[in-house]
């Protein structure tokens, strides 16, 4: 089978490695890909993915990031008669509109924080004052991970609502906000595959969102992750599937928007062990994908193809008992002002770990340089999280990149 993978980050490099390793994969194309992906796939122009899929006789398109899904790419691929792993625009509203997600969750009885939706600042401000702090203010639409403020004071919440609704801080994505109660507990990233009818759990991970050690400092896209999540027992998995994932998938299907692809539930597990839904994403987590796939023994190409074709109940996942851990190496200054262009050396001497490219380019002389905030994901496995952690940091220390930094405590809750 010929496969086209859409995206250019560390998540897509992990997907590319797993797809390329499948005996079913005859040719793997990536649009646009990155220098790491180029080692296992043919990188092609990303301007028109559907034309590209037709030109290369692609049998299956795998979409990595959320923006093209919210924008309807999966619908366009399906309309061209090509199988696609990724939801329609109608189903991708789960991530594209937080208000849509909350209304659906409320209708389906999914446990989630009490909330209200506002387009008018004065109405939002009155609600914020009645709820009091802490309180969470979210831009409705996609905002590259920057649209959520967990406000510790009423003033901070009012400022967040004003920025979105009055000052256009998030453009159209912030024309409406969701204001919701603050959940407490331990966050877990939970994944399920869905082929439009059948839905099956696909592993868990724990991300580290803050830039600083001990979970301090500003929020980021994720500074590292490990899998499986410490708190995820078989009983909790069953509860998440029964109370959160299945009702949502059924609710979408009842609206005429069946979900095809991977559903990523961001959960808060409260002190009593009960799961609450924070948010849904309609794609793999980044960097969670980088720690899910090394534990998958089944054939990823077969699994995503079966998902895209409505045959998910026919495939084996076969998880290994090992733990996996990934350390994100970021450019100095990330997340506020990452420095670009610093040279990265020594990747060829790394042993005992996989180095995934998240934000690299080759300069005119062929040197590998940092091109973004999150640049490399150094991933290792082991019999337990502590061993995987030790191996990942041993590999980090072999990389010669003075322009980069990482957290040294990824996996601390479990190790
Ligand atoms: P997002 O950028 O949408 O992934 O959300 C950012 C983060 O905000 C989440 O990972 C949580 O840490 C936090 N968050 C969002 N909603 C809530 C909530 N209702 N209660 C507590 N924390 C929240
Ligand atoms: N790591 C969190 C996310 O992918 O949204």
């Amino acid at each position: 089978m010929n496969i086209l993978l859409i995206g250019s980050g560390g998540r897509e490099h992990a997907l590319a490695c797993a797809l390329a390793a499948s005996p079913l994969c005859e040719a793997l194309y990536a649009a646009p890909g990155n220098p790491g992906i180029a080692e296992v796939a043919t990188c092609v122009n990303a301007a028109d993915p559907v034309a590209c899929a037709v030109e290369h006789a692609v049998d299956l398109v795998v979409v990595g990031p959320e923006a093209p899904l919210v924008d309807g790419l999966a619908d366009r691929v399906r309309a061209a008669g090509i199988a696609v792993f990724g939801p329609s625009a109608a189903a991708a509203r789960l991530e594209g509109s937080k208000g849509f997600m909350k209304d659906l969750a409320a209708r389906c009885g999914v446990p989630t924080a009490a909330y209200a939706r506002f387009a008018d600042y004065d109405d939002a401000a009155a609600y914020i004052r009645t709820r009091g702090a802490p309180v969470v203010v979210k831009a409705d639409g996609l905002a590259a991970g920057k649209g959520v403020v967990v406000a510790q004071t009423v003033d901070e919440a009012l400022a967040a609502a004003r920025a979105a609704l009055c000052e256009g801080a998030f453009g159209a994505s912030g024309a409406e906000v969701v204001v919701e109660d603050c959940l407490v507990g331990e966050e877990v990233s939970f994944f399920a595959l869905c082929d439009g009818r059948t839905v099956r759990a696909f592993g868990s991970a724990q991300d580290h969102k803050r830039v600083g050690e001990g979970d301090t400092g500003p929020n980021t896209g994720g500074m590292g992750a490990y899998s499986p999540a410490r708190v995820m027992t078989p009983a909790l998995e069953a509860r998440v599937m029964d109370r959160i994932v299945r009702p949502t998938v059924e609710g979408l299907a009842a609206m005429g928007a069946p979900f095809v692809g991977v559903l990523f539930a961001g959960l808060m597990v409260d002190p009593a062990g009960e799961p609450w839904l924070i948010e849904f994403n309609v794609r793999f987590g980044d960097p969670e994908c980088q720690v899910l796939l090394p534990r998958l023994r089944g054939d990823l190409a077969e699994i995503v193809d079966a998902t895209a074709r409505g045959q998910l109940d026919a495939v084996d996942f076969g998880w290994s008992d090992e733990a996996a851990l990934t350390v994100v190496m970021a450019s100095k200054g990330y997340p506020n002002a990452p420095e670009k262009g610093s040279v990265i050396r020594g990747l060829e001497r790394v042993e005992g770990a996989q180095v995934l490219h998240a934000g690299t380019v080759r300069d005119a002389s062929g040197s590998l340089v940092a091109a973004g905030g999150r640049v490399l994901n150094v991933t290792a496995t082991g019999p337990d999280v502590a061993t995987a952690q030790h191996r990942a940091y041993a590999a980090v220390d072999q990389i010669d990149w003075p322009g980069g930094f990482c957290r040294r405590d990824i996996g601390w809750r479990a190790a």
Side-chain angles (χ1 to χ4, degrees):
M1 132 171 93
N2 295 341
I3 303 175
L4 171 62
L5 171 66
I6 307 295
S8 65
R11 167 182 51 209
E12 288 76 24
H13 192 181
L15 289 166
C17 291
L19 292 170
S22 165
L24 299 174
C25 181
E26 287 161 58
L28 178 62
Y29 300 94
N34 69 34
I37 293 172
E39 293 170 12
V40 295
T42 304
C43 294
V44 294
N45 186 322
D48 185 348
V50 179
C52 174
V54 171
E55 181 191 335
H56 294 286
V58 160
D59 304 289
L60 172 69
V61 176
V62 178
V63 185
E66 64 277 13
L69 293 167
V70 170
D71 201 38
L73 177 59
D75 303 88
R76 294 195 293 279
V77 174
R78 266 184 213 109
I82 300 170
V84 54
F85 179 83
S88 65
R93 277 184 296 169
L94 268 191
E95 180 165 1
S97 166
K98 295 192 192 297
F100 172 86
M101 184 286 269
K102 295 292 289 191
D103 288 352
L104 182 68
R107 252 194 345 267
C108 300
V110 169
T112 183
Y115 74 105
R117 304 174 66 168
F118 300 99
D120 177 79
Y121 172 74
D122 291 327
D123 295 343
Y127 182 79
I128 287 168
R129 289 197 182 90
T130 50
R131 301 308 286 187
V135 65
V136 185
V137 180
K138 302 181 170 184
D140 184 73
L142 295 184
K146 297 188 173 74
V148 175
V149 174
V150 182
Q152 297 305 326
T153 64
V154 166
D155 281 346
E156 198 187 335
L158 295 175
R162 210 178 303 117
L165 296 175
C166 311
E167 292 154 15
F170 304 105
S173 286
E176 197 181 299
V177 297
V178 169
V179 179
E180 67 182 33
D181 290 0
C182 196
L183 299 168
V184 291
E186 185 161 333
E187 277 191 68
V188 171
S189 301
F190 184 92
F191 299 87
L193 298 186
C194 185
D195 68 1
R197 280 182 310 236
T198 301
V199 56
R200 292 174 61 188
F202 198 69
S204 68
Q206 192 162 46
D207 187 10
H208 296 60
K209 289 248 164 80
R210 304 299 191 100
V211 75
E213 274 146 36
D215 296 329
T216 54
N219 255 312
T220 70
M223 293 302 290
Y226 72 92
S227 172
R230 185 181 76 109
V231 299
M232 190 48 68
T233 59
L236 181 57
E237 176 180 304
R239 197 143 175 85
V240 173
M241 291 297 288
D242 288 345
R243 301 232 37 214
I244 296 176
V245 173
R246 262 188 223 102
T248 303
V249 163
E250 285 163 12
L252 279 174
M255 295 175 70
F259 191 92
V260 176
V262 56
L263 190 56
F264 164 4
L267 306 175
M268 189 71 86
V269 179
D270 74 15
E274 281 299 312
W276 295 76
L277 176 67
I278 299 175
E279 60 171 357
F280 275 124
N281 298 306
V282 299
R283 36 94 191 160
F284 281 111
D286 187 347
E288 288 94 328
C289 186
Q290 291 86 312
V291 289
L292 285 181
L293 296 184
R295 300 183 47 250
L296 181 68
R297 289 289 166 265
D299 181 327
L300 183 70
E302 183 187 21
I303 292 167
V304 294
D305 189 57
T307 305
R309 296 177 197 278
Q311 296 158 359
L312 183 57
D313 47 15
V315 287
D316 282 332
F317 296 165
W319 296 103
S320 96
D321 292 331
E322 291 209 317
L325 184 139
T326 190
V327 177
V328 171
M329 298 183 75
S331 295
K332 283 183 179 162
Y334 179 73
N336 298 326
E339 296 165 14
K340 289 187 185 170
S342 55
V343 177
I344 303 161
R345 294 190 184 84
L347 298 192
E348 63 294 339
R349 53 170 189 260
V350 171
E351 281 174 11
Q354 181 189 32
V355 181
L356 297 167
H357 292 233
T360 65
V361 288
R362 294 222 178 260
D363 69 10
S365 68
S367 299
L368 196 65
V369 301
R374 296 189 296 172
V375 174
L376 299 172
N377 309 143
V378 183
T379 309
T381 57
D384 48 44
V385 175
T387 309
Q389 183 191 53
H390 178 80
R391 289 175 181 162
Y393 281 113
V396 164
D397 291 336
Q398 289 168 324
I399 296 171
D400 173 13
W401 181 29
F405 76 98
C406 65
R407 274 179 64 166
R408 300 292 311 191
D409 65 345
I410 298 305
W412 64 269
R413 280 195 189 80

